[in-house]
Amino acid sequence: MITVPPVNWPALLPYLVIGGGGLVVMLVDAFVRTLRKDHLTALTGLVFLGAAIAMIAVKPEPGPQLGGMLTVQMYTRFFDFLLLGIGLVTTVYGSAVYSQDGDYRPEFYPLVLFAVLGMMVLVAASDLLILFLGIETMSLAVYALVCGRRGELRSSEAALKYLLLGSFASAFLLMGAALLYGCAGGTSYAALAAVGGTGEGGPLFAVGLGLVLVGFAFKVAMVPFHMWTPDVYDGAPAHVTGFMATAVKAAAFGALIRFVTIALPGLAAHWSGLLTVLTVLTMTAGNLLALVQASIKRMLAYSSIAHAGYLLLGVLAILAPAGGDPGRPLRESAVVQAAGSGLLFYLLGYCLMNLAAFGVISQLGRSGGVEADQVDHYRGLSGRQPVAAAVLAVAMFSLAGIPGTVGFLGKFYLFEAAIRAQLVPLAIWGVVNSLLSVYYYLRVVVVMYMSDDQTEPFDGRNWETILLAGCLAALVVLLGVFPAAVHGLTSLAFGTMLG
Amino acid sequence: MALVSDHILSLVTFLPLAGALVILLCLARRPTAAGWLACGVALADLGLAVLLWLGYDPVPGTDQFVERAAWFLGGRVQYHLACDGISLVLVLLTALLGPLVILSTKSSLSQRVPLFMAMALFLQTAMIGTFLARDMLLFYVFWELMLIPMYFLIGIWGGPRRIYAAVKFFIFTMAGSVFMLVAILYCWFKAGTMDLGAWLALDLTPTEQLWLFAAFALAFAIKVPIWPLHTWLPDAHVEAPTAGSVILAGVLLKMGTYGLLRYAMPLFPAAAVTAAPVLAVLGVIGIVFGALVAWVQTDVKKLVAYSSVSHLGFVVLGLFSLTAQGATGGVFQMLAHGLSTGGLFLLVGILYERRHTRELADFGGLAHGMPAYASVFLITTLASIGLPGLCGFVGEFLILLGTFGSSQLPHAKLLVAVAATGVILGAIYMLWMYQKVFLGPLGSKKNQGLPDLALREWFVLVPLVVFMVWLGVGPNLVLAKVGPSVERVLEPLTAPGLVLPHGDPRPAPLWAVPAVLGGGGEVAP
């Protein structure tokens, strides 16, 4: 006899708003004949705002929901707001692109909403089943988004590739979850922590963990599970690429951080050796491959891999003290606190700078869906569109980690935590890597400011997109100069997760 | 007024940045107005720097006008500005060159003037901030921020190979700073704060000191540049527009020597003492190498660029003589070099605007047609060579004197002897260049009828000439303000009982050892 756990409606309200909103948007599009596409954009925006208002206005007791399937706390709320913001920005970018193309893609709007719903669930998951549910909801929506330009071969190829490889990754994750269930007798994080803490898991438990890790590694694009990233980022329309580079990555990291800290604090030793190797590989390969790209979208794809490497450094810093002293609860360690809040800060900054960059990229295309996807297409941009060029330049400097931008402070927080966690060689390697990255980010600035105009310039313009990207770039600088308030917030958010 | 006097350091630092933002936001399409606004802002900044100079009390040589506020991480990273004698003269130099540079570009610049002005002002903020910061992270932020405007100045308004030069400049400097960042993080881990004062009190083992010193010194040595890390300099100088070269030679290169004196040496005293012979020798190699290479240049600008390598070799030698005299001379030389080399680049720029060439072979006999220009050039050349009575002499003399009396530097006298040949070589290549350009018959037809100095150019050059003479005749004006601060900064290096990496505690105060021993390495206990 299955007992239905009590449902705490206020806590679930944001999820319901987003999910219900998605359905409404889809139905409105299908049945309201007199619709203009602006209406759908506005409606989608309203859904996002409604969800945000629901989170601000209704404050449920933080804690486990639906019998421990989901956890709602400040940590998940931090990610919810971030994801809603990214969703909103993507909606605006997307509708600008579609009006520029003269192409109408109504399915885009509900898909973004469903993807965001999946991501929010993914971050809040406290059970492997919900984790899987979140990942799949997110992924199915994103597979379809990648295929945003149906007529174009590249876009379809990217979608197919992503779908096939993503399915494999999901299968790995599911297999791992099954093995863990077999060992732990339950799928909740708490059950895993109970078995993991005693060290009685045995080899099957370790294999299960490894398979779950593969699932995560695919979503955050860790080397060697990164092969899909450049092709998919390149093939998808630029605003979707921006969505993938930011929201998908943020959500996957949000879930990964929760998973390792809640479910596996006692098993750091099993994870950290393997994770160290993956971290080094991810950073290095991402940066080296980004160096030789001629396409700006591929370059940013590899750069996002490199950034995943820096973020993994933070995850390692969380695991390191637990490895030294398995009995000690994580929340008592200052290093864990520093690494965790640094990770959240970095993720926030990373999303801001990437969204700013992809905004400029998405608006510059020509009508008919031709994108300015090569670095060379940006020649002399500063003369034609000074604001767009400045925004992209700020984003590039921030990605490169130049002081005065949020990218620098994010790295500062992460590397500082890594050094405190005794990961000095890794931190040095990270610093060397960010030096390497300067070269390819700088190249974009070089072509924009120092090269002459090309003969047939890309000159798409959309003031909404530029305004939004400009605000994001301003935030990049603002947070790079005054980080204290936001860092305090991320610190608090991470603290609530540790309990 | 209280606002000004309480926050004068913030004002002097951020006023140019405010000007830059106004230009970018309001005057982006009005080049003339942007130029005038930039000029006005730079002059106002100079006014503030003069106020600073007047209000500074030289006797204790301590940090003054201190501004402190928590920045982030619960106040462990602070916004901390302060000014002592060393910072003071360098800030004044920066503020003086600022308006001159902006004024000098008015005719030569045709495209994207507002952006240029904004970048020049932005650069000024970063440079002044670097000199005033007393929190390591704040320092690092300003230090790296300097790269961005300079990179644009070279890359957008530079010569034909500007992109190569700009990227090389950026990557070289960044490569150095990255290791400094690791060292900063390590010290932060040890100290738990980024405050310079707390770092000076850190108890580091000699081995730690050596590594940390190496990381800091590498970053600064690239910026100076110390031989053999100088290869970015000629490229950057030759490709940079006149304004870029002036700022680069006038101020940016001093960042390296300033950083050595302010951070690398006092923070890691034992390592600094150990490494002093190596760095002094590198300084001397730089002096001679720079001079010899300058001698064979056929491009005037390249010649001046290599002369910078030589002159800054003197500064490095002075600092690592580990004497207050030598280091004070080093700071003076930074100032003097800023004036004379800044002036030379301005003059070369003026010539290039008229003739569009910098090849020595294209010139000759210019003194006939441009007497005023030739006279100013001569004074600047002589100041650069180090003629007594002009600014260049004082610094070099003090450096050589300090090194000669150094008890810690092995073979100090030999080093002085070799370095002194640099003075002679300097006279040779500079006068040889002067002769080729200005003396003899007017060679080519193109050299005839070149206009002499215009009014605007007078405005730019006269202040420089005045200061070159003034500092040469009355060096005490500067030395009195710099000396006490240099002694304070060097205190950790002269403390008795300093444990060197090879393990021996240092026996006695060094100045007690007769300078005649000279050999330094083996002092009698």
Side-chain angles (χ1 to χ4, degrees):
Chain A
M1 170 77 190
I2 298 168
T3 49
V4 178
V7 179
N8 182 3
W9 294 106
L12 302 181
L13 190 60
Y15 307 106
L16 298 175
V17 171
I18 291 281
L23 290 176
V24 170
V25 170
M26 200 156 69
L27 292 176
V28 164
D29 172 57
F31 290 107
V32 183
R33 291 280 161 212
T34 55
L35 202 67
R36 291 212 340 259
K37 53 183 175 288
D38 297 358
H39 294 154
L40 270 193
T41 313
L43 194 60
T44 313
L46 278 179
V47 174
F48 279 123
L49 286 181
I53 290 169
M55 281 197 279
I56 296 166
V58 185
K59 288 206 174 65
E61 276 295 292
Q65 307 295 334
L66 298 176
M69 288 290 198
L70 280 176
T71 305
V72 175
Q73 56 194 183
M74 197 178 152
Y75 176 84
T76 59
R77 285 297 186 241
F78 170 82
F79 276 96
D80 292 345
F81 275 114
L82 181 63
L83 295 168
L84 289 181
I86 298 171
L88 190 60
V89 171
T90 306
T91 310
V92 175
Y93 285 177
S95 70
V97 168
Y98 292 134
S99 72
Q100 194 168 318
D101 284 6
D103 187 9
Y104 182 39
R105 296 271 170 226
E107 72 274 17
F108 168 73
Y109 302 96
L111 283 174
V112 171
L113 286 167
F114 290 136
V116 169
L117 173 67
M119 293 166 186
M120 285 163 64
V121 170
L122 172 62
V123 176
S126 294
D127 189 292
L128 288 172
L129 287 178
I130 297 292
L131 179 80
F132 183 72
L133 200 64
I135 283 195
E136 284 307 290
T137 312
M138 168 180 91
S139 301
L140 287 175
V142 175
Y143 297 146
L145 280 173
V146 169
C147 196
R149 292 215 164 91
R150 267 171 306 187
E152 211 179 300
L153 200 60
R154 231 169 29 143
S155 190
S156 314
E157 183 201 328
L160 192 62
K161 210 172 241 173
Y162 192 32
L163 171 69
L164 284 177
L165 290 173
S167 314
F168 266 105
S170 300
F172 275 116
L173 184 76
L174 212 52
M175 186 69 203
L179 289 176
L180 290 180
Y181 176 55
C183 297
T187 49
S188 72
Y189 288 6
L192 296 183
V195 175
T198 60
E200 288 165 1
L204 269 189
F205 194 77
V207 171
L209 277 185
L211 291 177
V212 173
L213 178 65
V214 169
F216 275 116
F218 180 83
K219 287 296 164 200
V220 304
M222 268 185 237
V223 176
F225 305 100
H226 69 287
M227 299 296 187
W228 59 277
T229 319
D231 288 341
V232 175
Y233 277 30
D234 194 24
H239 57 282
V240 174
T241 313
F243 185 66
M244 293 175 70
T246 53
V248 173
K249 197 152 279 200
F253 262 104
L256 178 65
I257 295 166
R258 275 199 50 155
F259 187 65
V260 296
T261 41
I262 301 292
L264 308 160
L267 281 171
H270 291 271
W271 280 69
S272 51
L274 185 59
L275 213 53
T276 307
V277 177
L278 292 184
T279 306
V280 172
L281 279 179
T282 306
M283 275 196 264
T284 317
N287 277 317
L288 285 179
L289 291 168
L291 279 175
V292 295
Q293 300 305 320
S295 152
I296 193 167
K297 280 161 80 185
R298 288 185 95 86
M299 185 270 271
L300 285 171
Y302 284 111
S303 122
S304 86
I305 295 173
H307 282 271
Y310 305 139
L311 285 159
L312 284 173
L313 190 59
V315 175
L316 276 174
I318 291 182
L319 291 172
D325 180 9
R328 192 156 157 240
L330 285 176
R331 63 176 164 276
E332 283 173 18
S333 161
V335 178
V336 171
Q337 211 14 282
S341 53
L343 269 174
L344 299 197
F345 187 87
Y346 194 101
L347 272 174
L348 173 66
Y350 168 82
C351 291
L352 288 175
M353 54 212 188
N354 263 306
L355 277 181
F358 277 107
V360 174
I361 295 171
S362 73
Q363 65 105 37
L364 199 63
R366 292 206 189 104
S367 62
V370 184
E371 286 190 326
D373 59 356
Q374 301 295 309
V375 175
D376 268 349
H377 292 162
Y378 292 76
R379 291 172 86 86
L381 186 67
S382 68
R384 289 175 279 131
Q385 298 193 29
V387 180
V391 169
L392 195 52
V394 167
M396 290 299 136
F397 281 128
S398 182
L399 282 164
I402 305 291
T405 60
V406 70
F408 169 71
L409 282 178
K411 279 191 185 133
F412 172 76
Y413 285 128
L414 276 188
F415 292 159
E416 184 256 343
I419 287 183
R420 276 164 69 178
Q422 316 281 337
L423 302 171
V424 181
L426 272 181
I428 292 181
W429 192 240
V431 172
V432 170
N433 259 286
S434 51
L435 172 68
L436 208 61
S437 74
V438 168
Y439 183 78
Y440 58 82
Y441 293 126
L442 222 54
R443 215 176 41 176
V444 178
V445 181
V446 165
V447 299
M448 285 195 303
Y449 281 87
M450 301 170 196
S451 304
D452 299 326
D453 275 359
Q454 58 191 104
T455 43
E456 220 180 315
F458 276 79
D459 226 359
R461 272 166 216 264
N462 182 283
W463 68 267
E464 292 145 341
T465 303
I466 284 302
L467 187 71
L468 203 54
C471 291
L472 292 170
L475 269 179
V476 164
V477 175
L478 203 66
L479 279 183
V481 181
F482 302 107
V486 172
H487 187 254
L489 207 68
T490 58
S491 197
L492 213 61
F494 186 73
T496 60
M497 188 192 62
L498 293 177
Chain B
M1 275 330 265
L3 186 77
V4 175
S5 58
D6 288 353
H7 298 285
I8 187 160
L9 294 186
S10 296
L11 278 174
V12 81
T13 308
F14 290 108
L15 183 69
L17 182 64
L21 289 180
V22 171
I23 288 175
L24 282 182
L25 296 177
C26 309
L27 300 175
R29 280 160 211 278
R30 299 174 58 194
T32 324
W36 285 116
L37 182 78
C39 203
V41 168
L43 280 174
D45 206 40
L46 176 60
L48 285 170
V50 171
L51 278 182
L52 203 63
W53 173 272
L54 295 176
Y56 178 76
D57 174 15
V59 180
T62 46
D63 276 344
Q64 296 169 26
F65 312 105
V66 179
E67 281 181 48
R68 244 178 211 273
W71 188 13
F72 58 96
L73 280 174
R76 286 182 298 151
V77 180
Q78 292 178 326
Y79 173 74
H80 184 183
L81 297 181
C83 182
D84 69 352
I86 305 167
S87 304
L88 181 70
V89 292
L90 292 169
V91 167
L92 202 66
L93 174 69
T94 313
L96 175 71
L97 288 177
L100 300 185
V101 161
I102 286 168
L103 208 57
S104 77
T105 51
K106 284 223 149 159
S107 61
S108 60
L109 204 65
S110 55
Q111 47 161 347
R112 299 207 229 170
V113 178
L115 188 62
F116 180 92
M117 295 300 163
M119 284 300 160
L121 290 175
F122 180 27
L123 183 57
Q124 188 157 340
T125 286
M127 293 188 298
I128 293 180
T130 311
F131 287 133
L132 294 177
R134 293 295 184 272
D135 179 278
M136 290 308 291
L137 196 75
L138 188 63
F139 161 75
Y140 186 79
V141 168
F142 281 127
W143 169 270
E144 290 282 279
L145 276 187
M146 284 190 301
L147 286 182
I148 296 176
M150 197 63 215
Y151 161 72
F152 280 116
L153 285 184
I154 299 175
I156 299 182
W157 293 278
R161 286 169 72 238
R162 59 184 190 276
I163 293 176
Y164 169 75
V167 173
K168 189 170 177 183
F169 163 78
F170 202 103
I171 301 279
F172 254 69
T173 327
M174 189 85 187
S177 353
V178 154
F179 291 100
M180 180 165 73
L181 181 63
V182 176
I184 288 179
L185 284 172
Y186 188 84
C187 292
W188 149 267
F189 171 59
K190 283 255 165 185
T193 161
M194 282 282 181
D195 192 59
L196 182 61
W199 283 31
L200 285 169
L202 263 186
D203 192 22
L204 297 166
T205 68
T207 323
E208 278 175 327
Q209 285 203 25
L210 263 188
W211 282 104
L212 295 170
F213 179 83
F216 270 79
L218 180 68
F220 297 136
I222 289 175
K223 203 80 160 191
V224 173
I226 293 178
W227 183 88
L229 302 169
H230 65 278
T231 56
W232 63 270
L233 181 81
D235 285 315
H237 265 311
V238 170
E239 299 305 324
T242 301
S245 293
V246 174
I247 301 178
L248 196 59
V251 187
L252 238 62
L253 302 188
K254 276 74 187 181
M255 293 296 168
T257 43
Y258 171 80
L260 286 171
L261 179 60
R262 166 83 63 205
Y263 300 106
M265 294 167 69
L267 283 175
F268 318 112
V273 171
T274 314
V278 178
L279 281 156
V281 167
L282 288 179
V284 171
I285 293 178
I287 294 173
V288 178
F289 171 85
L292 289 175
V293 178
W295 197 354
V296 297
Q297 296 307 315
T298 55
D299 179 317
V300 185
K301 209 170 179 187
K302 244 183 171 162
L303 187 148
V304 181
Y306 275 108
S307 85
S308 290
V309 176
S310 180
H311 287 302
L312 283 154
F314 274 106
V315 181
V316 173
L317 177 64
L319 297 182
F320 285 96
S321 73
L322 305 175
T323 59
Q325 204 173 31
T328 310
V331 175
F332 194 94
Q333 169 83 345
M334 291 186 214
L335 188 61
H337 175 261
L339 293 172
S340 62
T341 307
L344 281 173
F345 276 120
L346 281 171
L347 287 161
V348 173
I350 289 174
L351 195 56
Y352 185 76
E353 274 176 37
R354 287 165 171 53
R355 274 288 270 114
H356 296 285
T357 173
R358 291 186 303 250
E359 285 296 313
L360 277 175
D362 293 342
F363 296 113
L366 288 188
H368 298 295
M370 311 167 72
Y373 177 77
S375 322
V376 174
F377 205 111
L378 184 64
I379 298 173
T380 315
T381 304
L382 294 176
S384 167
I385 295 170
L387 188 79
L390 292 170
C391 61
F393 172 72
V394 184
E396 283 177 7
F397 182 72
L398 280 175
I399 289 167
L400 294 180
L401 201 64
T403 313
F404 198 81
S406 170
S407 51
Q408 278 171 297
L409 214 54
H411 312 299
K413 296 203 173 50
L414 181 65
L415 288 180
V416 171
V418 179
T421 63
V423 181
I424 301 165
L425 287 172
I428 294 175
Y429 65 74
M430 288 304 284
L431 290 176
W432 177 74
M433 180 263 281
Y434 189 83
Q435 181 199 344
K436 282 216 157 184
V437 176
F438 291 97
L439 305 182
L442 258 175
S444 152
K445 275 230 173 80
K446 286 182 191 157
N447 290 333
Q448 289 168 5
L450 293 180
D452 209 341
L453 291 179
L455 185 65
R456 188 179 47 79
E457 288 157 354
W458 277 113
F459 270 118
V460 173
L461 294 171
V462 163
L464 286 177
V465 171
V466 167
F467 277 106
M468 281 178 225
V469 178
W470 192 356
L471 290 184
V473 180
N476 243 4
L477 184 77
V478 168
L479 293 179
K481 302 231 178 202
V482 172
S485 295
V486 168
E487 276 176 34
R488 275 183 56 84
V489 168
L490 289 184
E491 246 167 39
L493 287 112
T494 48
L498 185 70
V499 184
L500 296 181
H502 46 76
D504 317 323
R506 194 159 53 197
L510 289 151
W511 50 87
V513 180
V516 193
L517 284 179
E522 55 283 276
V523 244

